[in-house]
Amino acid sequence: MKKILAACFALAMSVPGAALANEITIYSGRGEALIGPVIAQFEADTGIKANVRYAGTAELATLLQEEGDQSPADVFWAQDGGALGAIAPLFAELPAEVNEGVSAPFRNVNNKWAPTSGRSRVLVFSKERVQEDDLPASINDLTEEKYKVRVAWAPTNGSFQAFVTAFRVVHGEEAAKAWLEGMIANDAKVYRNNGTQIEGIANGEVDFGLVNNYYLGRYVSSDADFPVDQTHFEAGDIGNLLNVAGVGIVASSENQENARKFIDYLLSATAQQYITIEGNEYPVVPGIIQSPTLEPFDKLEEISPKVEIDQIDDLEGTLALLRDVGLL
Ligand SMILES: [Fe+2]
């Protein structure tokens, strides 16, 4: 019965003009736990009913490409700028004012999508087993003998893969491959995701890990003495990649007006303040009080490598490379 209902729903949503005027269909690569309340508040404030399909960002990007102009989606909210870049041809162009209101490092210069929050890659490490002078200056240093069997990574994780794509864009295919092989030769330990790397450090399995900035805050908020800390590499290092979650309007949507209201809501002070405090991510508009777990904004700008987020869209090439070196 449930299946039949779901099928009817999908059919109704895919008939052009069948959607009620005051609805919006959102494909969300962002998890419901964090953003469910944002959607609920958007509905309450605007009176627009949101139909949300939650799934992985890469999975939804593939689905959008398959559906083409038949997609029931009005907007795609992704947690990786690379996925937004890959889908950009399917997005309607946004008025320039949307991105002009956003802080420079997060902005999409092509106006195909708008960032909704920022996240940076960090090095997490054991407070107990790592001294200040053991910290690597560059992510490239992690292939050195002194880091053998001490480093965690998560090759199947989307944010890690976006980082590898950025590595390929900035330093080239050969350098990216050499780094991956160097890490494998150094017995980097494979974990399922970001959180398990942090737990692995706390449990004494490894001393370092490569994750997004907002994970550690979840552990520290429930245990102030949690034995893991985080830092960035030297200024400009690709290991500090700044990425975004962001949203675009599907060009074939007949509901552009509500889609635009949704984007405006996500960039409002209310939504931005919630995302940084609850999610430990960087707000993308000025004037928001950042989560205290975050680097000051000026520092973030200084340490981030200069990569156009739109350019890190070749996930296929990264997956091929990861398969080539035996990580997938
Ligand atoms: Fe994440």
Side-chain angles (χ1 to χ4, degrees):
M1 186 60 182
K2 238 184 181 171
K3 257 194 187 151
I4 296 170
L5 279 177
C8 290
F9 179 72
L11 189 64
M13 295 310 297
S14 65
V15 177
L20 295 173
N22 232 20
E23 293 194 3
I24 185 172
T25 298
I26 300 163
Y27 278 11
S28 178
R30 308 232 50 188
E32 188 168 9
L34 177 69
I35 63 106
V38 176
I39 305 265
Q41 194 60 47
F42 165 74
E43 290 183 304
D45 286 5
T46 61
I48 298 168
K49 179 174 174 346
N51 308 302
V52 192
R53 177 169 188 158
Y54 291 102
T57 289
E59 190 185 323
L60 290 172
T62 304
L63 181 62
L64 279 163
Q65 277 162 334
E66 286 167 4
E67 291 174 338
D69 61 10
Q70 297 301 304
S71 179
D74 298 310
V75 298
F76 176 36
W77 196 2
Q79 52 175 202
D80 165 32
L84 293 167
I87 289 298
L90 296 179
F91 285 147
E93 190 163 327
L94 296 173
E97 67 194 40
V98 176
N99 271 288
E100 279 162 12
V102 159
S103 304
F106 307 111
R107 210 171 273 165
N108 176 234
V109 292
N110 299 319
N111 294 315
K112 292 301 252 180
W113 48 267
T116 55
S117 59
R119 56 269 302 281
S120 73
R121 299 289 296 170
V122 293
L123 177 75
V124 278
F125 60 93
S126 164
K127 283 188 202 169
E128 289 154 351
R129 297 178 303 282
V130 176
Q131 308 305 316
E132 185 80 35
D133 54 7
D134 287 336
L135 291 172
S138 163
I139 200 163
N140 285 300
D141 297 348
L142 294 177
T143 60
E144 290 170 5
E145 179 69 28
K146 73 190 269 201
Y147 298 108
K148 201 171 176 68
V149 306
R150 298 177 70 192
V151 184
W153 62 355
T156 59
N157 175 260
S159 296
F160 175 78
Q161 293 172 353
F163 150 75
V164 174
T165 307
F167 201 129
R168 293 170 51 226
V169 168
V170 173
H171 296 299
E173 206 69 34
E174 285 311 305
K177 188 175 183 191
W179 181 77
L180 291 167
E181 287 174 339
M183 292 291 286
I184 294 166
N186 232 6
D187 294 319
K189 192 168 155 69
V190 171
Y191 283 79
R192 200 157 37 85
N193 54 28
N194 291 286
T196 50
Q197 292 183 62
I198 292 174
E199 287 157 26
I201 296 171
N203 297 339
E205 297 160 15
V206 279
D207 296 340
F208 303 91
L210 299 170
V211 304
N212 285 352
N213 72 280
Y214 50 84
Y215 285 93
L216 185 60
R218 299 176 189 174
Y219 296 89
V220 175
S221 64
S222 56
D223 174 8
D225 297 323
F226 195 73
V228 181
D229 202 351
Q230 72 184 26
T231 188
H232 281 108
F233 298 99
E234 63 194 357
D237 196 84
I238 195 67
N240 302 336
L241 179 70
L242 180 65
N243 201 341
V244 296
V247 65
I249 300 178
V250 179
S252 59
S253 161
E254 292 175 5
N255 207 356
Q256 305 274 327
E257 206 174 307
N258 282 353
R260 178 60 202 281
K261 283 184 190 161
F262 183 63
I263 293 185
D264 288 346
Y265 180 74
L266 295 182
L267 295 175
S268 71
T270 315
Q272 289 288 304
Q273 195 62 72
Y274 172 87
I275 289 171
T276 185
I277 297 300
E278 295 300 318
N280 295 307
E281 293 177 65
Y282 289 92
V284 296
V285 300
I288 307 296
I289 301 163
Q290 289 194 167
S291 158
T293 63
L294 299 172
E295 300 264 21
F297 180 71
D298 290 353
K299 172 105 191 279
L300 181 77
E301 250 190 316
E302 178 195 316
I303 55 109
S304 299
K306 303 288 169 265
V307 191
E308 203 59 69
I309 297 170
D310 243 6
Q311 287 174 6
I312 56 172
D313 61 353
D314 181 25
L315 177 60
E316 280 311 311
T318 291
L319 295 178
L321 175 60
L322 293 174
R323 276 192 289 269
D324 184 30
V325 297
L327 280 170
L328 295 181

